[in-house]
């Protein structure tokens, strides 16, 4: 899991790419991000690299700032 909350583009995707580099095809990796661009940037990154987004949900966390909700995006790595 990559916690990129509070980081702006392109850092959530960069952190996700770093985490994915140490994994193998079929593995799942999730990035948490408060950057609104991440809901577009992460799927674009995944498509360009042969991965697939399997889930994208807004985190339901009482501690998070309602003005800046976090999204959890899970990617299945391609082989």
């Amino acid at each position: 899991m990559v916690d990129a909350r509070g980081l702006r583009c392109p850092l959530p995707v960069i952190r996700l790419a770093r985490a994915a580099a140490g994994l193998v095809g079929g593995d799942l990796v999730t990035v948490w991000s408060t950057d609104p661009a991440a809901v577009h940037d992460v799927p674009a990154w995944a498509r360009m690299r042969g991965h697939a987004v399997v889930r994208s949900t807004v985190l339901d966390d009482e501690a998070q700032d309602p003005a800046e909700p976090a999204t959890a995006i899970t990617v299945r790595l391609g082989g």
Side-chain angles (χ1 to χ4, degrees), residues 6-66:
L7 302 177
R8 294 290 176 221
C9 180
L11 291 175
V13 171
I14 290 171
R15 298 271 174 97
L16 176 59
R18 283 185 190 153
L23 302 174
V24 297
D27 282 350
L28 297 175
V29 62
T30 300
V31 60
W32 289 0
S33 180
T34 51
D35 181 3
V39 298
H40 304 290
D41 294 344
V42 170
W45 170 85
R47 277 190 309 276
M48 289 188 306
R49 282 161 181 75
H51 309 315
V53 173
V54 295
R55 186 177 323 119
S56 181
T57 57
V58 175
L59 294 176
D60 185 19
D61 182 357
E62 294 175 11
Q64 81 178 348
D65 180 355

